[in-house]
Amino acid sequence: FRHYIFSSKEERDEIVEEIFKTGFNAATLLLPQEFEVIKENARGRKQERILKLTCDSLIMVTPSKNIRHEMSFSGIESVSIDAQNSELIWLKYKTEGRRRKIYSKNSKILLQSILEAMEKHLDEDALSLELSNQFLDSFGSNNFSFE
């Protein structure tokens, strides 16, 4: 058994929902969602990481299972394989000026997995927006007052 400690009921509900979404979505994805990679930092230092794909983000985890970085798929500007080095993936975030270097022996599958997960996330966002709009339209007006 695993025991989890939460600071609030809301935090517990958020985590349970995230676990459910991840489990549900993982079954619908065809490609792997976890990869051993080498991340090269801005100073050129190479660091072992595990890259994990969730239902809405990319997470970098140390081999000792500490989360070092998380980026929402909506925050990714571009991802591509280097033209000269097929093991190098360039990852560019919208909030950063530089591209990040990630090395993987499975770079083609990793790239496909990231793109598949991003596409699924965008499809879910579009569906959520559509359902929200249908809900608002059912009231006939977008004017609400809250007390």
Side-chain angles (χ1 to χ4, degrees):
F1 271 108
R2 289 186 183 194
H3 298 276
Y4 299 94
I5 299 172
F6 303 101
S7 60
S8 68
K9 182 180 173 186
E10 292 78 18
E11 181 185 31
R12 181 205 62 200
D13 292 346
E14 287 175 19
I15 297 297
V16 169
E17 182 179 354
E18 182 68 24
I19 291 169
F20 172 78
K21 282 182 180 179
T22 301
F24 181 79
N25 289 336
T28 65
L29 297 172
L30 303 174
L31 298 167
Q33 302 303 298
E34 184 174 305
F35 296 86
E36 291 181 7
V37 299
I38 303 291
K39 176 193 91 94
E40 187 174 322
N41 69 15
R43 288 179 246 159
R45 184 169 168 234
K46 294 185 177 179
Q47 303 163 323
E48 291 183 19
R49 294 288 185 259
I50 299 166
L51 187 147
K52 294 182 177 238
L53 302 171
T54 70
C55 61
D56 63 354
S57 63
L58 176 150
I59 300 176
M60 289 287 196
V61 181
T62 64
S64 60
K65 308 294 185 214
N66 294 318
I67 295 175
R68 288 292 180 209
H69 179 78
E70 181 174 12
M71 176 57 72
S72 168
F73 290 136
S74 59
I76 296 175
E77 184 175 309
S78 66
V79 58
S80 62
I81 295 177
D82 187 78
Q84 278 73 43
N85 183 350
S86 63
E87 291 188 355
L88 173 59
I89 291 181
W90 291 101
L91 182 62
K92 172 78 171 70
Y93 296 139
K94 293 176 182 176
T95 57
E96 296 181 348
R98 68 175 182 87
R99 297 184 298 171
R100 293 176 177 236
K101 289 182 177 181
I102 299 171
Y103 295 90
S104 173
K105 293 179 180 172
N106 300 310
S107 62
K108 290 180 183 177
I109 296 171
L110 173 55
L111 177 63
Q112 290 174 330
S113 294
I114 293 171
L115 294 174
E116 178 190 46
M118 288 176 68
E119 183 177 337
K120 183 151 192 67
H121 174 67
L122 290 174
D123 288 346
E124 288 174 0
D125 279 355
L127 178 60
S128 293
L129 180 61
E130 181 181 331
L131 292 174
S132 295
N133 287 338
Q134 288 176 3
F135 174 76
L136 292 174
D137 289 345
S138 70
F139 287 99
S141 171
N142 289 341
N143 297 322
F144 296 96
S145 63
F146 299 97
E147 296 181 27

